[in-house]
Amino acid sequence: MDIGIVFTALFVAFNCGILGVFLMLRKMAMVGDAISHSVLPGIVIAYLIAGTRASFPMLIGAAAMGLITTVLIEFLTKKARLQNDASIGISFTWLFAIGVILIAVFTKGGIDLDQECVLYGDIAYVNLDKIIVDGNLYLGPRAMWNQIPVFVLISVVILFGFRGWQITTFNPDYAASMGISVSRWHYLLMSMVSLVTVMAFEAVGAILVVGFMIIPPATAYLINSKLKMVIVLTLVFATLSVLLGYRLAIYFNGSIAGGMISVAGIIFFVIWCLQQMVKKLLVARSDENVGGWLVQENKIIR
Amino acid sequence: MKERKVAVEAHNITVAYDRQPVLWEVDFEMNEGNIIGIIGPNGSGKTTLIKTLMGVITPDSGYVEVFGAEINRVRDQIAYVPQRESVDWDFPASVYDVVMMGRFRKNNLFHRSNTNDRKIVRESIEKVGMTPYINRQIGQLSGGQQQRVFLARSLAQEADIYFMDEPFVGVDAATESAILELMTTMKNLGKTLIIVHHDLQTVSEYFDEVLLLNTRVIDYGPVNSVLTDDNLKAAYGGQLNVLTKVGDLLKKREFPIREKEFKKRSKS
């Protein structure tokens, strides 16, 4: 087992999963996908300004464009009164298209800026960029060391602001009636999503980012008990997907990212089937309980 | 007798969406210690009005004062019961979690709950009779029970003014009487209740004062002086099915037996 690859994937999965829980509960699950596409013009502009293909200016450009994307989505939803999913669709396709045009315009002079290689890394290659100190002390892939501070940041922000995330996600109007700035919390979340997405897909590819942002939270949400438990379960399912997915990929000699997301999907369906079976058992055992009571009350209302 | 303070005042409030006015020059002063109904047809701006009073929506012109102060200085004195349909009840939270939100404040979001908070939360849940369901996920409750959870959450805020948006919609008879009982208790404690309501039949039973709204304020005052033929026609004019209801209501008044009943109810 390649420790470097597995740990990089684990931290990407944790970062994406934790934020994904809140994105899903806010009905914005596809925002991560949107950001991973719409950052293209940001990367091109950063390249034009900095004049190099060094990854740091590109990261800045991409992260800034990620934030602009979320502002644009918010603007289209609030001011243009579009459905949230339509706003997401417009924002990222439009920005991606602008990025493609920008590349076409500026590669005429023979500049090598291909979106496949700029935008989407592959987790199998994270070991090509290692951090080595003193010439021989190998500390692991750079992508992993990029993800760890982000993980710490997210954990701290989510833990300390837990009540804020809870109330602004469940009932924004109610939070606003207490004087809590709902939009400030929204943009804090979006900045973190933007940061994680940009840093992760540069190293490991978009499918891993988008997949981990949605599937483990959705699986945890099926079991649906308490918000804290949903986050913990997300981490558990993410870990399982990474470990089993890596094994699967090695066994079939296939794509590592593909293996991990496939396993995540399989876990989702297994949990769903189990849940349906448990539900049937429970209903069969106690008919007069919750289900029966609800039906009774509906009759009273009508 | 103690002099009554003004609880909420609105002056020349105008709110517009896409240049379409939802509220137009709304101006009133509400005294504390009353149960006040805000009634009007669908789309007459009732929800927008209470959201504006609570500072959730910023008016395009005019201003609101609560207890004579700017809203941000008296946030802790107001509590809010939103419309039940306005949230996703599949959210992973238990009854206890939701009621605990009533103890959140702008400046304690980064703290944990203390013993006092937990005590108040349990008491609030007990007051609405939801203690047996305290750990149940909120999506597994009936409509009436969900409404009670929202009520308990507002009780946990320990406020002086309660804004409630359609608390009687889609609830069972037991919840309805529980809400009414709570309203009486809170009134006796000197609290002010401002309640958005749409059912004309029950207005005189529930409220001391009524604000009749249809983008503008049609009239505001004690129930009997507001619910006149002219006012109701001005508010509901053109809405046939509602007009028949208004007709029924007026008819009921003309019957002396009913009249007695009304008087009895409003006295008690």
Side-chain angles (χ1 to χ4, degrees):
Chain A
M1 191 178 342
D2 187 318
I3 301 288
I5 290 181
V6 169
F7 270 86
T8 308
L10 267 181
F11 280 109
V12 170
F14 288 169
N15 290 343
C16 294
I18 296 173
L19 297 179
V21 168
F22 292 97
L23 289 179
M24 180 187 64
L25 292 174
R26 287 165 182 245
K27 323 257 180 268
M28 310 191 78
M30 291 315 284
V31 162
D33 189 22
I35 289 177
S36 67
H37 284 85
S38 61
V39 294
L40 186 59
I43 290 174
V44 182
I45 292 166
Y47 169 78
L48 289 175
I49 294 171
T52 67
R53 270 185 298 158
S55 60
F56 189 68
M58 298 230 167
L59 268 184
I60 303 272
M65 195 49 82
L67 262 186
I68 291 173
T69 310
T70 61
V71 174
L72 187 62
I73 292 171
E74 189 75 1
F75 173 82
L76 289 175
T77 315
K78 288 264 164 70
K79 300 281 184 229
R81 304 285 201 95
L82 279 176
Q83 296 283 326
N84 193 262
D85 49 357
S87 316
I88 294 175
I90 290 180
S91 311
F92 90 86
T93 49
W94 183 56
L95 288 170
F96 188 71
I98 290 176
V100 172
I101 299 259
L102 282 178
I103 286 185
V105 170
F106 291 105
T107 44
K108 270 183 198 154
I111 299 163
D112 173 29
L113 196 67
D114 171 29
Q115 72 239 36
E116 284 302 316
C117 80
V118 177
L119 256 185
Y120 306 119
D122 188 320
I123 192 158
Y125 303 135
V126 289
N127 279 323
L128 293 181
D129 190 3
K130 295 171 182 172
I131 292 186
I132 297 169
V133 247
D134 287 348
N136 57 4
L137 179 61
Y138 170 51
L139 286 179
R142 183 179 300 277
M144 182 181 91
W145 287 103
N146 281 341
Q147 287 297 316
I148 289 175
V150 179
F151 177 70
V152 174
L153 176 81
I154 291 176
S155 308
V156 168
V157 173
I158 295 290
L159 265 181
F160 279 90
F162 191 78
R163 295 175 137 202
W165 299 115
Q166 207 181 0
I167 194 168
T168 55
T169 306
F170 174 62
N171 201 342
D173 279 345
Y174 183 70
S177 82
M178 288 180 161
I180 296 166
S181 171
V182 177
S183 62
R184 211 173 289 168
W185 287 89
H186 173 78
Y187 284 116
L188 180 58
L189 180 69
M190 288 305 143
S191 320
M192 290 196 297
V193 170
S194 178
L195 185 71
V196 168
T197 311
V198 169
M199 293 196 77
F201 74 62
E202 183 223 22
V204 302
I207 181 162
L208 216 54
V209 176
V210 180
F212 279 133
M213 216 165 251
I214 301 172
I215 306 175
T219 316
Y221 182 64
L222 278 182
I223 303 175
N224 188 5
S225 47
K226 290 196 128 201
L227 185 50
K228 274 178 193 157
M229 277 309 289
V230 170
I231 295 175
V232 172
L233 285 170
T234 299
L235 298 181
V236 172
F237 291 132
T239 312
L240 277 177
S241 314
V242 167
L243 297 177
L244 296 176
Y246 183 77
R247 286 272 164 223
L248 190 75
I250 298 298
Y251 183 77
F252 286 113
N253 196 17
S255 152
I256 295 173
M260 289 173 180
I261 298 304
S262 304
V263 170
I266 291 166
I267 293 176
F268 177 86
F269 284 109
V270 168
I271 296 284
W272 184 75
C273 289
L274 282 176
Q275 197 206 22
Q276 293 301 310
M277 277 154 65
V278 170
K279 249 187 205 165
K280 267 188 187 157
L281 279 175
L282 281 180
V283 170
R285 212 185 293 161
S286 58
D287 236 12
E288 76 283 1
N289 217 3
V290 194
W293 200 84
L294 281 176
V295 172
Q296 227 178 359
E297 204 200 41
N298 277 342
K299 269 185 202 152
I300 293 175
I301 293 167
R302 286 183 194 153
Chain B
M1 219 178 111
K2 204 180 85 178
E3 200 186 313
R4 284 213 166 151
K5 278 196 296 182
V6 174
V8 183
E9 53 192 301
H11 294 293
N12 281 314
I13 289 196
T14 298
V15 176
Y17 291 139
D18 299 335
R19 296 194 176 176
Q20 186 78 29
V22 183
L23 293 175
W24 186 257
E25 296 191 342
V26 171
D27 201 294
F28 58 78
E29 289 183 358
M30 288 173 174
N31 285 331
E32 73 171 347
N34 280 332
I35 302 179
I36 300 151
I38 296 179
I39 58 170
N42 288 336
S44 58
K46 299 178 299 242
T47 299
T48 307
L49 176 60
I50 64 164
K51 282 187 178 173
T52 311
L53 295 181
M54 288 184 299
V56 173
I57 294 175
T58 314
D60 295 314
S61 73
Y63 66 98
V64 175
E65 278 185 2
V66 176
F67 291 126
E70 201 256 327
I71 180 76
N72 277 317
R73 292 168 56 197
V74 286
R75 291 270 186 202
D76 291 355
Q77 282 171 278
I78 63 163
Y80 178 29
V81 180
Q83 265 179 46
R84 190 160 54 82
E85 293 82 21
S86 68
V87 303
D88 174 13
W89 290 93
D90 286 330
F91 191 86
S94 64
V95 170
Y96 181 86
D97 292 338
V98 173
V99 179
M100 182 54 91
M101 288 178 192
R103 298 304 303 160
F104 292 7
R105 296 288 176 271
K106 195 185 176 182
N107 48 14
N108 80 354
L109 282 180
F110 301 100
H111 302 271
R112 321 190 86 214
S113 58
N114 58 33
T115 336
N116 187 37
D117 289 337
R118 289 191 283 268
K119 199 183 114 223
I120 292 167
V121 168
R122 286 185 189 281
E123 283 169 3
S124 307
I125 294 173
E126 181 62 42
K127 277 180 201 158
V128 297
M130 288 294 289
T131 307
Y133 306 97
I134 192 161
N135 286 319
R136 188 169 285 185
Q137 200 271 326
I138 49 173
Q140 296 170 355
L141 302 170
S142 70
Q145 290 172 324
Q146 290 174 341
Q147 192 65 59
R148 287 177 197 211
V149 173
F150 266 2
L151 275 176
R153 183 175 68 172
S154 72
L155 291 178
Q157 287 186 268
E158 297 197 312
D160 297 313
I161 305 178
Y162 288 77
F163 292 94
M164 304 188 182
D165 201 346
E166 302 269 15
F168 295 104
V169 166
V171 303
D172 50 304
T175 302
E176 186 181 328
S177 55
I179 299 175
L180 286 173
E181 208 184 299
L182 268 176
M183 279 164 52
T184 321
T185 320
M186 282 151 78
K187 191 192 165 183
N188 292 339
L189 288 170
K191 313 278 187 192
T192 311
L193 285 84
I194 296 170
I195 300 172
V196 169
H197 195 62
H198 75 279
D199 183 12
L200 283 170
Q201 314 275 355
T202 48
V203 168
S204 49
E205 264 179 80
Y206 294 170
F207 305 117
D208 303 323
E209 289 183 333
V210 171
L211 184 122
L212 194 57
L213 188 74
N214 193 350
T215 308
R216 301 156 189 266
V217 176
I218 308 288
D219 199 0
Y220 169 58
V223 177
N224 288 331
S225 72
V226 173
L227 292 191
T228 60
D229 303 13
D230 289 345
N231 278 344
L232 289 172
K233 270 177 198 153
Y236 287 89
Q239 294 190 19
L240 279 177
N241 58 337
V242 187
L243 265 186
T244 53
K245 271 191 198 166
V246 175
D248 288 347
L249 195 75
L250 296 176
K251 248 182 226 163
K252 272 183 193 168
R253 284 197 177 167
E254 282 156 17
F255 283 103
I257 309 164
R258 280 287 184 181
E259 185 101 27
K260 267 180 201 165
E261 240 178 64
F262 267 118
K263 277 179 185 164
K264 238 189 270 167
R265 277 179 187 166
S266 52
K267 265 179 201 165
S268 62

